[in-house]
Amino acid sequence: MVGGVAALRGDAHKAVVTLDTTRLGRVLAIDGESLTARVQAGIYGPELERTLQREGFTLGHYPQSFEFSTLGGWIAARGAGQQSYRYGKAEKWLVSAELATPKGPWRTESFPASAAGPNLNQFVAGSEGILGVITAATVKIHRVPAEKDYRGFFFKDFEAGAKAVRTILQEELPVAMLRLSDGPETHFLQSFSAAQKPPGALERAAMQALAWRGYGEGRCLLIVGLEGDRETVLESQVRTRAVIERLGGVHLGNRPGERWYSKRFAMPYMRDPMLDRGIAVETLETSVRWSDLHNLYRGVHLAIHDALRDNAADADARAIVMCHLSHGYIDGASLYFTMIFPQKQGAEVEQWLAIKRAASDAIVAGGGTISHHHGVGTDHAPWLLREKGEVGVTLLTGLKDSLDPKHTCNPGKVLPG
């Protein structure tokens, strides 16, 4: 997503060597008592889950790239999954990492908790290959949930929906996922779904009735996912629905949730066919405190629209800018923006750079991180100094110099040039 695996030789190296780790694709051990598993880092998501679930366990990490990404990649990018509310981002479920570094093998500590200095796993999660090659990891696992429940709710606007998400999280209700789409994304998703399978008469009538009640243009879709034992899921269902309806949400039943769940890995497949037709699809994300969330949302929208207008393919070009609240915490949430716009023929890269720069500047100005789960790579490196500070970047550079003095491991990534 951000140039993290682009093969950059730079001035210091004569050639580029790309390592394929996918033959390191086995689950080495499962500790059912401690609920951990030691796994080789090149294993793909589907094979990891098949192996764990045969024994009654799951990692529960489902990024949108799940079908074609590996355990080592998830750790290296400090990735998030769709159900990270319940199972955690990579830095939460990582117990210990094993790396091959230019200075020799390195295995981080693997204790349940320790006060023996900083936890070095936090240097590995998000390192994006600049410290060495992740060869294996010990991770926290969970028993396969007996019950899964995904359902939809409408809110009249994004602010009302965000308040409901914040309330659910701050009341510490156990959820696996809360995904709130803004008005443009809700309209896009429903239009896309209707194009694939036109709604029947009953569905059209139900939507009209909701529009009469004020859930019309600008309405926002919230998908709530619950996982666990039957009793926990039923209790959570009652409590989350009570919060949602108290704050103006209207229940749509299981169908929207089940539809999302069945299609959840499909959206990226749209990207290449659209690019072939001169339509760009770009995504970017951040996380920000609840108190700054709506100002950042508006600021990024404005910056993207201004940049799209100034770098439009032609005078009649139209763009779609959508957003959803993808992950949430007690103190803030992640906003995930998607842009669809006609490419400026002959200046596609310049157009993209201008839009990316404007959006990234607006994110940082609004108090958000430059990345919640896409990582830094090359695209976000120019903003890292503003986020980490001079001392922080010096610390990361020193770590890189110590483990990889010739800078042969994924050169040009993460650290500002």
Side-chain angles (χ1 to χ4, degrees):
M1 297 302 299
V2 292
V5 295
L8 302 179
R9 185 178 65 186
D11 297 328
H13 306 293
K14 294 180 180 179
V16 170
V17 176
T18 299
L19 300 181
D20 179 355
T21 63
T22 54
R23 289 175 68 182
L24 296 171
R26 294 189 299 128
V27 175
L28 299 172
I30 296 174
D31 183 342
E33 189 172 359
S34 303
L35 287 181
T36 63
R38 183 168 172 255
V39 186
Q40 290 181 321
I43 194 168
Y44 282 115
E47 180 59 25
L48 172 59
E49 278 300 323
R50 275 194 296 269
T51 305
L52 290 177
Q53 290 191 27
R54 278 199 297 266
E55 304 298 322
F57 302 103
T58 180
L59 177 62
H61 189 75
Y62 291 100
Q64 203 163 45
S65 62
F66 173 76
E67 298 166 301
F68 299 105
S69 55
T70 65
L71 175 67
W74 301 341
I75 295 166
R78 211 173 178 90
Q82 294 163 342
Q83 286 82 14
S84 287
Y85 285 84
R86 174 177 169 84
Y87 301 105
K89 288 177 79 254
E91 67 268 24
K92 295 293 186 183
W93 48 251
L94 177 63
V95 175
S96 175
E98 299 169 42
L99 290 84
T101 82
K103 282 293 185 76
W106 175 29
R107 183 171 184 170
T108 61
E109 63 266 48
S110 60
F111 307 105
S114 171
N119 187 323
L120 298 182
N121 285 303
Q122 297 308 310
F123 285 111
V124 178
S127 61
E128 298 186 31
I130 69 170
L131 304 180
V133 181
I134 300 170
T135 57
T138 300
V139 298
K140 297 174 185 176
I141 57 176
H142 305 259
R143 292 183 177 85
V144 173
E147 193 84 15
K148 292 184 179 182
D149 183 275
Y150 286 77
R151 57 187 61 230
F153 298 84
F154 271 154
F155 285 89
K156 293 179 180 178
D157 56 51
F158 191 64
E159 290 199 8
K163 184 177 181 180
V165 171
R166 174 168 58 84
T167 303
I168 289 168
L169 293 170
Q170 292 180 348
E171 291 187 8
E172 301 186 44
L173 304 185
V175 295
M177 191 191 80
L178 296 167
R179 179 189 172 111
L180 174 69
S181 295
D182 69 359
E185 182 169 285
T186 299
H187 178 74
F188 178 85
L189 292 174
Q190 290 189 297
S191 299
F192 187 71
S193 178
Q196 292 179 303
K197 184 180 180 182
L202 285 176
E203 191 173 351
R204 289 197 303 272
M207 294 305 295
Q208 185 60 56
L210 285 169
W212 288 336
R213 292 174 56 190
Y215 299 88
E217 188 175 349
R219 63 177 174 255
C220 296
L221 175 65
L222 173 66
I223 302 293
V224 178
L226 307 172
E227 297 187 7
D229 61 76
R230 182 170 176 78
E231 184 179 338
T232 300
V233 168
L234 287 174
E235 182 185 351
S236 244
Q237 194 183 107
V238 171
R239 295 177 69 192
T240 54
R241 185 169 171 180
V243 170
I244 288 167
E245 292 182 343
R246 185 176 82 234
L247 295 173
V250 60
H251 184 221
L252 304 174
N254 288 90
R255 190 172 177 188
E258 291 170 355
R259 186 183 295 161
W260 174 85
Y261 197 89
S262 67
K263 304 284 186 183
R264 60 196 172 130
F265 301 131
M267 290 301 284
Y269 293 101
M270 295 171 56
R271 187 170 184 263
D272 284 355
M274 293 178 76
L275 280 170
D276 291 341
R277 290 158 176 81
I279 305 296
V281 181
E282 171 66 319
T283 60
L284 51 94
E285 39 71 38
T286 182
S287 73
V288 66
R289 291 177 295 274
W290 286 114
S291 53
D292 294 326
L293 185 137
H294 293 295
N295 283 336
L296 183 143
Y297 171 81
R298 288 188 287 267
V300 174
H301 257 281
L302 182 62
I304 292 172
H305 279 294
D306 286 349
L308 285 167
R309 182 197 62 225
D310 295 341
N311 297 274
D314 56 61
D316 298 322
R318 297 180 62 191
I320 302 171
V321 181
M322 306 176 283
C323 180
H324 64 265
L325 194 158
S326 65
H327 299 78
Y329 308 92
I330 286 177
D331 55 344
S334 171
L335 293 176
Y336 192 106
F337 294 88
T338 302
M339 298 163 275
I340 303 174
F341 56 92
Q343 289 184 301
K344 195 172 185 178
Q345 298 302 312
E348 294 91 345
V349 174
E350 292 81 1
Q351 180 193 36
W352 168 78
L353 278 172
I355 296 165
K356 177 73 174 177
R357 192 179 303 114
S360 297
D361 284 344
I363 283 172
V364 173
T369 174
I370 197 61
S371 176
H372 172 264
H373 60 268
H374 282 170
V376 179
T378 55
D379 295 355
H380 290 157
W383 289 271
L384 198 70
L385 180 61
R386 290 167 68 181
E387 180 160 325
K388 299 293 185 190
E390 207 166 305
V391 172
V393 169
T394 300
L395 175 64
L396 292 175
T397 303
L399 184 62
K400 168 75 169 171
D401 291 341
S402 174
L403 284 175
D404 180 22
K406 295 183 179 179
H407 285 221
T408 55
C409 294
N410 208 12
K413 311 302 170 14
V414 182
L415 296 168

